[in-house]
């Protein structure tokens, strides 16, 4: 359709300020693009990172959001595969104002990671959309657009957790809980959940954690605590915080001869460092992007696993909110009050 759509969106005009609900114009899709009516979106920490920590004065105004499910409204030329869809961020061309199809008050608005799901409609490249089972509840499976796949895949695809192994997961937000679930589904016999907020331990148990460690309860470094608990270190560790100090702790918690530590958390604020001795005996230190899934195939597979009751998704959701409550959702996540709060548009 050639028409411009006017709709509501949550616009972030500048860093460290609440977003405001505005009327925006969404242009028609161009070649290889799809215009989507967003049915449900969740708030991910990456959105908050851009708003509060990323320090990019130039990435504004922007419509955040990159984890959502919706229905195709119209397609541009060359698009053949879509009618029901699901979107996932593309961090390779994270933000180019030239490409944005959104305007507000006569100004071009950046599309966060080329997506912008905090809007009633958005336009994305077809590479950022994948078709899923039409029977899937969109207000649940929207969480598979980023966090759950990232954490779960970090364990099963990137770390390649083996049956009977011992794992440690640092940070119990949605990504960490998904990593716990991945370790369990891969057959790990012991899964140690590490977080400075003990309120998260009950939730982690639901996903399969067997032990809980709060670094604040110990005088010695957390890596030493885990070393002693496991008689020499864990086989696999997953850092799901985005803190370079925790990344090093996670590495040093693994067994020196064959331990694998995966960096899942994201930060651009500091560089990580570790002494060469940490790696020399045989440890592996690696990163993961979207949990090593190719989103076009991986997301529909994960949706099917959920539909077949092989994957927990509902258990991640703490709140259902209306679009007008988006600032509440952002505040709750900022203060760690929720695992993932989902704003249903």
């Amino acid at each position: 359709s050639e028409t411009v759509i006017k709709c509501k969106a949550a616009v972030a005009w500048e860093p460290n300020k609440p977003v405001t609900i505005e009327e925006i114009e969404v242009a028609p899709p161009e070649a290889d693009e799809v215009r989507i009516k967003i049915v449900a979106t969740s708030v991910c920490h990456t959105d908050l990172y851009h708003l509060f920590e990323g320090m990019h004065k130039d990435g504004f105004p922007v419509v955040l959001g990159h984890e959502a499910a919706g229905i195709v409204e119209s397609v541009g030329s060359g698009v053949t595969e879509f009618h029901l869809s699901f979107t996932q961020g593309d961090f390779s061309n994270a933000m180019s104002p030239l490409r944005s199809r959104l305007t507000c008050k006569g100004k071009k608005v950046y599309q966060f990671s080329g997506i912008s799901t905090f809007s009633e409609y958005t336009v994305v490249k077809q590479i950022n959309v994948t078709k899923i089972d039409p029977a899937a509840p969109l207000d649940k499976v929207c969480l598979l657009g980023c966090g759950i796949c990232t954490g779960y895949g970090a364990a099963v695809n990137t770390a390649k957790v083996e049956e009977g192994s011992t794992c440690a997961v640092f940070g119990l937000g949605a990504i960490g809980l998904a990593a716990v679930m991945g370790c369990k589904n891969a057959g790990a016999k012991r899964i140690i959940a590490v977080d400075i907020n003990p309120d998260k331990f009950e939730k982690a148990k639901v996903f399969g954690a067997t032990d809980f460690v709060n670094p604040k309860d110990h005088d010695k470094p957390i890596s030493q605590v885990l070393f002693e608990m496991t008689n020499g270190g864990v086989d696999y560790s997953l850092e799901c915080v985005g803190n370079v100090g925790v990344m090093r702790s996670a590495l040093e918690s693994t067994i020196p001869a064959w331990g694998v530590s995966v960096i899942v958390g994201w930060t651009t604020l500091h560089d990580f460092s570790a002494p060469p001795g940490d790696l020399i005996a045989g440890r592996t230190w690696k990163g993961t992007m979207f949990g090593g899934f190719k989103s076009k195939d991986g997301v529909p597979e994960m949706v099917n696993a959920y539909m077949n009751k092989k994957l927990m998704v509902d258990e991640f959701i703490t709140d259902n909110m209306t679009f007008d409550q988006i600032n509440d959702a952002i505040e709750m996540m900022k203060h760690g009050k929720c695992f993932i709060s989902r704003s249903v548009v």
Side-chain angles (χ1 to χ4, degrees):
S1 109
E2 289 304 303
T3 53
V4 169
I5 290 179
K6 289 188 172 183
C7 69
K8 284 197 305 185
V11 178
W13 291 100
E14 51 184 318
N16 291 308
K17 292 279 193 316
V19 298
T20 54
I21 305 285
E22 308 276 8
E23 183 180 80
I24 66 162
E25 289 83 46
V26 182
E30 296 187 15
D32 295 322
E33 292 181 343
V34 184
R35 186 158 60 181
I36 292 172
K37 179 179 201 254
I38 300 290
V39 175
T41 181
S42 45
V43 180
C44 169
H45 195 270
T46 313
D47 302 306
L48 272 66
Y49 184 88
H50 182 78
L51 194 56
F52 299 114
E53 299 167 46
M55 311 301 171
H56 299 298
K57 293 280 177 284
D58 51 354
F60 293 86
V62 61
V63 173
L64 296 168
H66 60 279
E67 175 174 60
I71 297 160
V72 170
E73 179 272 335
S74 59
V75 299
S77 62
V79 177
T80 52
E81 56 180 315
F82 289 114
H83 50 91
L84 176 76
S85 76
F86 175 97
T87 67
Q88 180 253 324
D90 169 17
F91 294 95
S92 57
N93 63 349
M95 296 204 291
S96 147
L98 302 170
R99 237 216 73 214
S100 179
R101 302 287 171 254
L102 313 182
T103 45
C104 183
K105 300 179 179 173
K107 255 188 162 164
K108 272 279 190 199
V109 177
Y110 283 99
Q111 286 187 244
F112 183 62
S113 67
I115 299 283
S116 292
T117 62
F118 295 174
S119 175
E120 292 175 320
Y121 288 86
T122 191
V123 175
V124 297
K125 288 212 168 299
Q126 66 170 334
I127 188 101
N128 293 108
V129 188
T130 187
K131 199 184 325 187
I132 60 167
D133 180 347
L138 301 186
D139 63 341
K140 303 284 197 288
V141 297
C142 62
L143 298 195
L144 294 171
C146 176
I148 296 180
C149 285
T150 299
Y152 188 87
V156 300
N157 300 328
T158 310
K160 296 187 165 56
V161 169
E162 292 182 6
E163 200 166 335
S165 62
T166 299
C167 303
V169 175
F170 291 73
L172 300 174
I175 289 180
L177 293 172
V180 168
M181 176 166 65
C183 293
K184 182 181 188 336
N185 285 9
K189 73 166 190 292
R190 193 173 181 195
I191 302 165
I192 305 166
V194 182
D195 201 293
I196 55 174
N197 178 355
D199 297 346
K200 305 224 167 155
F201 292 159
E202 277 310 303
K203 196 75 171 174
K205 197 179 284 183
V206 172
F207 290 98
T210 56
D211 300 71
F212 306 93
V213 182
N214 181 347
K216 288 181 166 170
D217 295 344
H218 301 273
D219 301 330
K220 55 182 91 156
I222 182 68
S223 54
Q224 205 181 324
V225 175
L226 294 187
F227 228 71
E228 289 166 13
M229 277 175 73
T230 55
N231 200 9
V234 299
D235 299 304
Y236 304 95
S237 69
L238 298 112
E239 196 276 359
C240 303
V241 179
N243 174 304
V244 296
V246 180
M247 290 170 190
R248 177 168 168 181
S249 295
L251 175 71
E252 293 177 346
S253 301
T254 64
I255 197 156
W258 63 76
V260 173
S261 188
V262 180
I263 295 173
V264 195
W266 170 259
T267 183
T268 53
L269 302 181
H270 305 283
D271 294 348
F272 62 67
S273 66
D278 276 2
L279 296 177
I280 229 132
R283 284 187 179 118
T284 304
W285 207 5
K286 62 206 291 197
T288 188
M289 180 71 165
F290 196 55
F293 283 108
K294 288 193 171 56
S295 54
K296 281 283 195 194
D297 312 321
V299 169
E301 282 166 18
M302 290 285 277
V303 169
N304 293 343
Y306 165 68
M307 298 296 277
N308 294 323
K309 308 264 190 293
K310 293 190 166 66
L311 192 74
M312 288 192 263
V313 172
D314 303 28
E315 291 80 358
F316 284 91
I317 298 163
T318 52
D319 298 273
N320 293 305
M321 294 180 157
T322 63
F323 194 42
D324 295 326
Q325 294 172 292
I326 194 125
N327 279 308
D328 299 340
I330 289 169
E331 279 304 301
M332 284 172 70
M333 175 164 268
K334 195 175 163 188
H335 298 295
K337 295 274 190 298
C338 59
F339 297 98
I340 272 201
S341 65
R342 195 187 60 247
S343 315
V344 178
V345 180

